[in-house]
Structure formats: C-alpha cells, structure tokens
PDB file of all heavy atoms in Angstrom:
ATOM      1  N   HIS A   1     -35.318 155.205 -90.525  1.00 93.00           N
ATOM      2  CA  HIS A   1     -36.665 155.314 -89.959  1.00 93.00           C
ATOM      3  C   HIS A   1     -37.704 154.508 -90.727  1.00 93.00           C
ATOM      4  O   HIS A   1     -38.889 154.846 -90.718  1.00 93.00           O
ATOM      5  CB  HIS A   1     -37.098 156.781 -89.850  1.00 93.00           C
ATOM      6  CG  HIS A   1     -36.183 157.582 -88.991  1.00 93.00           C
ATOM      7  ND1 HIS A   1     -35.679 158.803 -89.383  1.00 93.00           N
ATOM      8  CD2 HIS A   1     -35.648 157.356 -87.764  1.00 93.00           C
ATOM      9  CE1 HIS A   1     -34.889 159.275 -88.442  1.00 93.00           C
ATOM     10  NE2 HIS A   1     -34.869 158.420 -87.446  1.00 93.00           N
ATOM     11  N   LYS A   2     -37.265 153.443 -91.355  1.00 94.00           N
ATOM     12  CA  LYS A   2     -38.188 152.553 -92.048  1.00 94.00           C
ATOM     13  C   LYS A   2     -38.926 151.717 -91.005  1.00 94.00           C
ATOM     14  O   LYS A   2     -38.313 151.124 -90.122  1.00 94.00           O
ATOM     15  CB  LYS A   2     -37.421 151.631 -92.994  1.00 94.00           C
ATOM     16  CG  LYS A   2     -38.291 150.676 -93.772  1.00 94.00           C
ATOM     17  CD  LYS A   2     -37.434 149.815 -94.705  1.00 94.00           C
ATOM     18  CE  LYS A   2     -38.285 148.935 -95.572  1.00 94.00           C
ATOM     19  NZ  LYS A   2     -38.819 147.780 -94.910  1.00 94.00           N
ATOM     20  N   ILE A   3     -40.244 151.677 -91.115  1.00 95.00           N
ATOM     21  CA  ILE A   3     -41.053 150.914 -90.175  1.00 95.00           C
ATOM     22  C   ILE A   3     -41.113 149.467 -90.643  1.00 95.00           C
ATOM     23  O   ILE A   3     -41.490 149.180 -91.776  1.00 95.00           O
ATOM     24  CB  ILE A   3     -42.459 151.521 -90.046  1.00 95.00           C
ATOM     25  CG1 ILE A   3     -42.360 152.935 -89.469  1.00 95.00           C
ATOM     26  CG2 ILE A   3     -43.344 150.639 -89.166  1.00 95.00           C
ATOM     27  CD1 ILE A   3     -43.654 153.712 -89.478  1.00 95.00           C
ATOM     28  N   ILE A   4     -40.718 148.565 -89.743  1.00 92.00           N
ATOM     29  CA  ILE A   4     -40.716 147.127 -90.026  1.00 92.00           C
ATOM     30  C   ILE A   4     -41.946 146.522 -89.359  1.00 92.00           C
ATOM     31  O   ILE A   4     -42.086 146.594 -88.134  1.00 92.00           O
ATOM     32  CB  ILE A   4     -39.444 146.455 -89.468  1.00 92.00           C
ATOM     33  CG1 ILE A   4     -38.200 147.065 -90.095  1.00 92.00           C
ATOM     34  CG2 ILE A   4     -39.500 144.944 -89.675  1.00 92.00           C
ATOM     35  CD1 ILE A   4     -36.912 146.684 -89.375  1.00 92.00           C
ATOM     36  N   GLU A   5     -42.830 145.948 -90.146  1.00 94.00           N
ATOM     37  CA  GLU A   5     -44.009 145.282 -89.616  1.00 94.00           C
ATOM     38  C   GLU A   5     -43.630 143.838 -89.297  1.00 94.00           C
ATOM     39  O   GLU A   5     -43.252 143.082 -90.180  1.00 94.00           O
ATOM     40  CB  GLU A   5     -45.147 145.312 -90.630  1.00 94.00           C
ATOM     41  CG  GLU A   5     -45.615 146.712 -90.952  1.00 94.00           C
ATOM     42  CD  GLU A   5     -46.706 146.735 -92.016  1.00 94.00           C
ATOM     43  OE1 GLU A   5     -47.086 145.664 -92.544  1.00 94.00           O
ATOM     44  OE2 GLU A   5     -47.180 147.839 -92.311  1.00 94.00           O
ATOM     45  N   LEU A   6     -43.726 143.465 -88.033  1.00 91.00           N
ATOM     46  CA  LEU A   6     -43.395 142.101 -87.642  1.00 91.00           C
ATOM     47  C   LEU A   6     -44.471 141.145 -88.141  1.00 91.00           C
ATOM     48  O   LEU A   6     -45.662 141.454 -88.097  1.00 91.00           O
ATOM     49  CB  LEU A   6     -43.246 141.997 -86.130  1.00 91.00           C
ATOM     50  CG  LEU A   6     -42.085 142.822 -85.560  1.00 91.00           C
ATOM     51  CD1 LEU A   6     -42.108 142.788 -84.044  1.00 91.00           C
ATOM     52  CD2 LEU A   6     -40.757 142.329 -86.088  1.00 91.00           C
ATOM     53  N   ASP A   7     -44.032 139.995 -88.612  1.00 91.00           N
ATOM     54  CA  ASP A   7     -44.945 138.999 -89.171  1.00 91.00           C
ATOM     55  C   ASP A   7     -45.875 138.483 -88.075  1.00 91.00           C
ATOM     56  O   ASP A   7     -45.440 138.189 -86.958  1.00 91.00           O
ATOM     57  CB  ASP A   7     -44.131 137.844 -89.765  1.00 91.00           C
ATOM     58  CG  ASP A   7     -44.947 136.957 -90.665  1.00 91.00           C
ATOM     59  OD1 ASP A   7     -46.019 136.498 -90.231  1.00 91.00           O
ATOM     60  OD2 ASP A   7     -44.511 136.724 -91.806  1.00 91.00           O
ATOM     61  N   TYR A   8     -47.143 138.366 -88.395  1.00 96.00           N
ATOM     62  CA  TYR A   8     -48.119 137.882 -87.423  1.00 96.00           C
ATOM     63  C   TYR A   8     -47.833 136.457 -86.958  1.00 96.00           C
ATOM     64  O   TYR A   8     -48.311 136.051 -85.899  1.00 96.00           O
ATOM     65  CB  TYR A   8     -49.535 137.961 -87.991  1.00 96.00           C
ATOM     66  CG  TYR A   8     -50.091 139.359 -88.112  1.00 96.00           C
ATOM     67  CD1 TYR A   8     -51.089 139.642 -89.029  1.00 96.00           C
ATOM     68  CD2 TYR A   8     -49.647 140.405 -87.300  1.00 96.00           C
ATOM     69  CE1 TYR A   8     -51.626 140.907 -89.147  1.00 96.00           C
ATOM     70  CE2 TYR A   8     -50.172 141.676 -87.413  1.00 96.00           C
ATOM     71  CZ  TYR A   8     -51.169 141.927 -88.339  1.00 96.00           C
ATOM     72  OH  TYR A   8     -51.699 143.180 -88.457  1.00 96.00           O
ATOM     73  N   LYS A   9     -47.049 135.694 -87.713  1.00 92.00           N
ATOM     74  CA  LYS A   9     -46.743 134.320 -87.288  1.00 92.00           C
ATOM     75  C   LYS A   9     -46.042 134.313 -85.926  1.00 92.00           C
ATOM     76  O   LYS A   9     -46.239 133.394 -85.139  1.00 92.00           O
ATOM     77  CB  LYS A   9     -45.894 133.584 -88.333  1.00 92.00           C
ATOM     78  CG  LYS A   9     -44.477 134.105 -88.481  1.00 92.00           C
ATOM     79  CD  LYS A   9     -43.707 133.371 -89.563  1.00 92.00           C
ATOM     80  CE  LYS A   9     -42.311 133.939 -89.705  1.00 92.00           C
ATOM     81  NZ  LYS A   9     -41.600 133.359 -90.825  1.00 92.00           N
ATOM     82  N   TYR A  10     -45.239 135.346 -85.645  1.00 90.00           N
ATOM     83  CA  TYR A  10     -44.576 135.414 -84.344  1.00 90.00           C
ATOM     84  C   TYR A  10     -45.590 135.630 -83.228  1.00 90.00           C
ATOM     85  O   TYR A  10     -45.467 135.074 -82.142  1.00 90.00           O
ATOM     86  CB  TYR A  10     -43.517 136.508 -84.321  1.00 90.00           C
ATOM     87  CG  TYR A  10     -42.413 136.261 -85.315  1.00 90.00           C
ATOM     88  CD1 TYR A  10     -42.206 137.126 -86.383  1.00 90.00           C
ATOM     89  CD2 TYR A  10     -41.595 135.148 -85.208  1.00 90.00           C
ATOM     90  CE1 TYR A  10     -41.198 136.888 -87.305  1.00 90.00           C
ATOM     91  CE2 TYR A  10     -40.603 134.897 -86.130  1.00 90.00           C
ATOM     92  CZ  TYR A  10     -40.403 135.772 -87.180  1.00 90.00           C
ATOM     93  OH  TYR A  10     -39.423 135.530 -88.090  1.00 90.00           O
ATOM     94  N   PHE A  11     -46.597 136.439 -83.492  1.00 95.00           N
ATOM     95  CA  PHE A  11     -47.627 136.690 -82.485  1.00 95.00           C
ATOM     96  C   PHE A  11     -48.512 135.468 -82.288  1.00 95.00           C
ATOM     97  O   PHE A  11     -49.005 135.227 -81.194  1.00 95.00           O
ATOM     98  CB  PHE A  11     -48.424 137.945 -82.844  1.00 95.00           C
ATOM     99  CG  PHE A  11     -47.556 139.164 -82.811  1.00 95.00           C
ATOM    100  CD1 PHE A  11     -46.929 139.613 -83.958  1.00 95.00           C
ATOM    101  CD2 PHE A  11     -47.313 139.817 -81.614  1.00 95.00           C
ATOM    102  CE1 PHE A  11     -46.095 140.706 -83.924  1.00 95.00           C
ATOM    103  CE2 PHE A  11     -46.478 140.916 -81.565  1.00 95.00           C
ATOM    104  CZ  PHE A  11     -45.864 141.358 -82.724  1.00 95.00           C
ATOM    105  N   ASP A  12     -48.684 134.677 -83.349  1.00 95.00           N
ATOM    106  CA  ASP A  12     -49.407 133.409 -83.199  1.00 95.00           C
ATOM    107  C   ASP A  12     -48.653 132.508 -82.230  1.00 95.00           C
ATOM    108  O   ASP A  12     -49.268 131.828 -81.408  1.00 95.00           O
ATOM    109  CB  ASP A  12     -49.571 132.710 -84.550  1.00 95.00           C
ATOM    110  CG  ASP A  12     -50.552 133.426 -85.467  1.00 95.00           C
ATOM    111  OD1 ASP A  12     -51.366 134.240 -84.982  1.00 95.00           O
ATOM    112  OD2 ASP A  12     -50.502 133.171 -86.693  1.00 95.00           O
ATOM    113  N   ASP A  13     -47.321 132.510 -82.295  1.00 89.00           N
ATOM    114  CA  ASP A  13     -46.508 131.713 -81.369  1.00 89.00           C
ATOM    115  C   ASP A  13     -46.510 132.308 -79.958  1.00 89.00           C
ATOM    116  O   ASP A  13     -46.495 131.578 -78.970  1.00 89.00           O
ATOM    117  CB  ASP A  13     -45.070 131.583 -81.875  1.00 89.00           C
ATOM    118  CG  ASP A  13     -44.967 130.721 -83.124  1.00 89.00           C
ATOM    119  OD1 ASP A  13     -45.846 129.857 -83.331  1.00 89.00           O
ATOM    120  OD2 ASP A  13     -44.018 130.918 -83.903  1.00 89.00           O
ATOM    121  N   ILE A  14     -46.524 133.625 -79.857  1.00 92.00           N
ATOM    122  CA  ILE A  14     -46.613 134.289 -78.553  1.00 92.00           C
ATOM    123  C   ILE A  14     -47.970 133.989 -77.922  1.00 92.00           C
ATOM    124  O   ILE A  14     -48.075 133.772 -76.728  1.00 92.00           O
ATOM    125  CB  ILE A  14     -46.390 135.810 -78.696  1.00 92.00           C
ATOM    126  CG1 ILE A  14     -44.932 136.095 -79.075  1.00 92.00           C
ATOM    127  CG2 ILE A  14     -46.790 136.555 -77.423  1.00 92.00           C
ATOM    128  CD1 ILE A  14     -44.668 137.537 -79.477  1.00 92.00           C
ATOM    129  N   ALA A  15     -49.005 133.966 -78.733  1.00 93.00           N
ATOM    130  CA  ALA A  15     -50.373 133.623 -78.322  1.00 93.00           C
ATOM    131  C   ALA A  15     -50.922 134.514 -77.204  1.00 93.00           C
ATOM    132  O   ALA A  15     -51.289 134.027 -76.123  1.00 93.00           O
ATOM    133  CB  ALA A  15     -50.462 132.149 -77.945  1.00 93.00           C
ATOM    134  N   PRO A  16     -50.999 135.813 -77.452  1.00 96.00           N
ATOM    135  CA  PRO A  16     -51.568 136.680 -76.413  1.00 96.00           C
ATOM    136  C   PRO A  16     -53.050 136.390 -76.204  1.00 96.00           C
ATOM    137  O   PRO A  16     -53.775 136.102 -77.153  1.00 96.00           O
ATOM    138  CB  PRO A  16     -51.361 138.092 -76.979  1.00 96.00           C
ATOM    139  CG  PRO A  16     -51.295 137.915 -78.464  1.00 96.00           C
ATOM    140  CD  PRO A  16     -50.677 136.558 -78.674  1.00 96.00           C
ATOM    141  N   SER A  17     -53.485 136.469 -74.950  1.00 96.00           N
ATOM    142  CA  SER A  17     -54.905 136.297 -74.673  1.00 96.00           C
ATOM    143  C   SER A  17     -55.628 137.645 -74.687  1.00 96.00           C
ATOM    144  O   SER A  17     -56.836 137.696 -74.907  1.00 96.00           O
ATOM    145  CB  SER A  17     -55.117 135.582 -73.342  1.00 96.00           C
ATOM    146  OG  SER A  17     -54.378 136.202 -72.325  1.00 96.00           O
ATOM    147  N   ILE A  18     -54.878 138.710 -74.456  1.00 97.00           N
ATOM    148  CA  ILE A  18     -55.399 140.084 -74.471  1.00 97.00           C
ATOM    149  C   ILE A  18     -54.281 140.985 -74.989  1.00 97.00           C
ATOM    150  O   ILE A  18     -53.102 140.749 -74.700  1.00 97.00           O
ATOM    151  CB  ILE A  18     -55.804 140.548 -73.054  1.00 97.00           C
ATOM    152  CG1 ILE A  18     -56.943 139.682 -72.506  1.00 97.00           C
ATOM    153  CG2 ILE A  18     -56.196 142.021 -73.030  1.00 97.00           C
ATOM    154  CD1 ILE A  18     -57.233 139.914 -71.035  1.00 97.00           C
ATOM    155  N   ILE A  19     -54.658 142.037 -75.712  1.00 98.00           N
ATOM    156  CA  ILE A  19     -53.691 143.039 -76.162  1.00 98.00           C
ATOM    157  C   ILE A  19     -54.105 144.386 -75.586  1.00 98.00           C
ATOM    158  O   ILE A  19     -55.268 144.778 -75.688  1.00 98.00           O
ATOM    159  CB  ILE A  19     -53.631 143.114 -77.704  1.00 98.00           C
ATOM    160  CG1 ILE A  19     -53.192 141.763 -78.290  1.00 98.00           C
ATOM    161  CG2 ILE A  19     -52.698 144.243 -78.158  1.00 98.00           C
ATOM    162  CD1 ILE A  19     -53.363 141.654 -79.792  1.00 98.00           C
ATOM    163  N   ILE A  20     -53.146 145.066 -74.969  1.00 98.00           N
ATOM    164  CA  ILE A  20     -53.349 146.434 -74.497  1.00 98.00           C
ATOM    165  C   ILE A  20     -52.498 147.325 -75.397  1.00 98.00           C
ATOM    166  O   ILE A  20     -51.270 147.204 -75.417  1.00 98.00           O
ATOM    167  CB  ILE A  20     -52.919 146.621 -73.019  1.00 98.00           C
ATOM    168  CG1 ILE A  20     -53.574 145.580 -72.107  1.00 98.00           C
ATOM    169  CG2 ILE A  20     -53.207 148.049 -72.568  1.00 98.00           C
ATOM    170  CD1 ILE A  20     -55.077 145.614 -72.042  1.00 98.00           C
ATOM    171  N   ASN A  21     -53.156 148.199 -76.159  1.00 98.00           N
ATOM    172  CA  ASN A  21     -52.477 149.103 -77.082  1.00 98.00           C
ATOM    173  C   ASN A  21     -52.238 150.438 -76.378  1.00 98.00           C
ATOM    174  O   ASN A  21     -53.170 151.212 -76.162  1.00 98.00           O
ATOM    175  CB  ASN A  21     -53.342 149.299 -78.342  1.00 98.00           C
ATOM    176  CG  ASN A  21     -52.714 150.247 -79.326  1.00 98.00           C
ATOM    177  OD1 ASN A  21     -51.574 150.078 -79.706  1.00 98.00           O
ATOM    178  ND2 ASN A  21     -53.473 151.258 -79.738  1.00 98.00           N
ATOM    179  N   VAL A  22     -51.003 150.691 -76.002  1.00 98.00           N
ATOM    180  CA  VAL A  22     -50.656 151.914 -75.276  1.00 98.00           C
ATOM    181  C   VAL A  22     -50.330 153.012 -76.282  1.00 98.00           C
ATOM    182  O   VAL A  22     -49.573 152.800 -77.230  1.00 98.00           O
ATOM    183  CB  VAL A  22     -49.451 151.681 -74.335  1.00 98.00           C
ATOM    184  CG1 VAL A  22     -49.146 152.936 -73.528  1.00 98.00           C
ATOM    185  CG2 VAL A  22     -49.713 150.502 -73.408  1.00 98.00           C
ATOM    186  N   PHE A  23     -50.912 154.183 -76.073  1.00 98.00           N
ATOM    187  CA  PHE A  23     -50.652 155.318 -76.956  1.00 98.00           C
ATOM    188  C   PHE A  23     -50.476 156.583 -76.123  1.00 98.00           C
ATOM    189  O   PHE A  23     -50.871 156.644 -74.959  1.00 98.00           O
ATOM    190  CB  PHE A  23     -51.781 155.489 -77.987  1.00 98.00           C
ATOM    191  CG  PHE A  23     -53.080 155.948 -77.394  1.00 98.00           C
ATOM    192  CD1 PHE A  23     -53.429 157.287 -77.387  1.00 98.00           C
ATOM    193  CD2 PHE A  23     -53.960 155.029 -76.827  1.00 98.00           C
ATOM    194  CE1 PHE A  23     -54.629 157.709 -76.833  1.00 98.00           C
ATOM    195  CE2 PHE A  23     -55.171 155.440 -76.266  1.00 98.00           C
ATOM    196  CZ  PHE A  23     -55.503 156.781 -76.276  1.00 98.00           C
ATOM    197  N   ALA A  24     -49.866 157.589 -76.748  1.00 98.00           N
ATOM    198  CA  ALA A  24     -49.665 158.885 -76.093  1.00 98.00           C
ATOM    199  C   ALA A  24     -49.523 159.946 -77.180  1.00 98.00           C
ATOM    200  O   ALA A  24     -49.313 159.627 -78.355  1.00 98.00           O
ATOM    201  CB  ALA A  24     -48.420 158.865 -75.205  1.00 98.00           C
ATOM    202  N   ASP A  25     -49.594 161.181 -76.774  1.00 98.00           N
ATOM    203  CA  ASP A  25     -49.367 162.289 -77.684  1.00 98.00           C
ATOM    204  C   ASP A  25     -47.933 162.212 -78.209  1.00 98.00           C
ATOM    205  O   ASP A  25     -46.991 161.955 -77.434  1.00 98.00           O
ATOM    206  CB  ASP A  25     -49.594 163.614 -76.937  1.00 98.00           C
ATOM    207  CG  ASP A  25     -49.304 164.812 -77.799  1.00 98.00           C
ATOM    208  OD1 ASP A  25     -50.128 165.125 -78.670  1.00 98.00           O
ATOM    209  OD2 ASP A  25     -48.224 165.418 -77.599  1.00 98.00           O
ATOM    210  N   ALA A  26     -47.757 162.427 -79.505  1.00 98.00           N
ATOM    211  CA  ALA A  26     -46.432 162.314 -80.121  1.00 98.00           C
ATOM    212  C   ALA A  26     -45.418 163.268 -79.490  1.00 98.00           C
ATOM    213  O   ALA A  26     -44.242 162.913 -79.324  1.00 98.00           O
ATOM    214  CB  ALA A  26     -46.534 162.551 -81.628  1.00 98.00           C
ATOM    215  N   ASN A  27     -45.845 164.470 -79.117  1.00 98.00           N
ATOM    216  CA  ASN A  27     -44.928 165.416 -78.474  1.00 98.00           C
ATOM    217  C   ASN A  27     -44.444 164.897 -77.126  1.00 98.00           C
ATOM    218  O   ASN A  27     -43.289 165.089 -76.749  1.00 98.00           O
ATOM    219  CB  ASN A  27     -45.607 166.778 -78.294  1.00 98.00           C
ATOM    220  CG  ASN A  27     -45.783 167.507 -79.593  1.00 98.00           C
ATOM    221  OD1 ASN A  27     -44.824 167.707 -80.343  1.00 98.00           O
ATOM    222  ND2 ASN A  27     -47.018 167.881 -79.910  1.00 98.00           N
TER     223      ASN A  27
END
C-alpha cells in the first residue's frame, strides 16, 4: 500500500488543458 507519486514530467507530456479531480467518501 505504498503510494507512488507519478513524476510531473509525464503530465507535462500528457499536457492536460483542464483537470477534473473526482472525489468521494472513503466508505
């Protein structure tokens, strides 16, 4: 269960114009 933070360089290559952060109750 180690959380791996993806390097932002990949997102620079993906080049999103908008980000939608989806969230929900943990339960």
Side-chain angles (χ1 to χ4, degrees):
H1 301 132
K2 181 179 185 283
I3 297 172
I4 300 167
E5 297 177 358
L6 296 173
D7 195 308
Y8 288 156
K9 69 182 179 186
Y10 298 116
F11 296 93
D12 290 341
D13 291 335
I14 291 170
S17 51
I18 297 170
I19 299 169
I20 308 298
N21 179 53
V22 183
F23 69 96
D25 177 75
N27 288 306

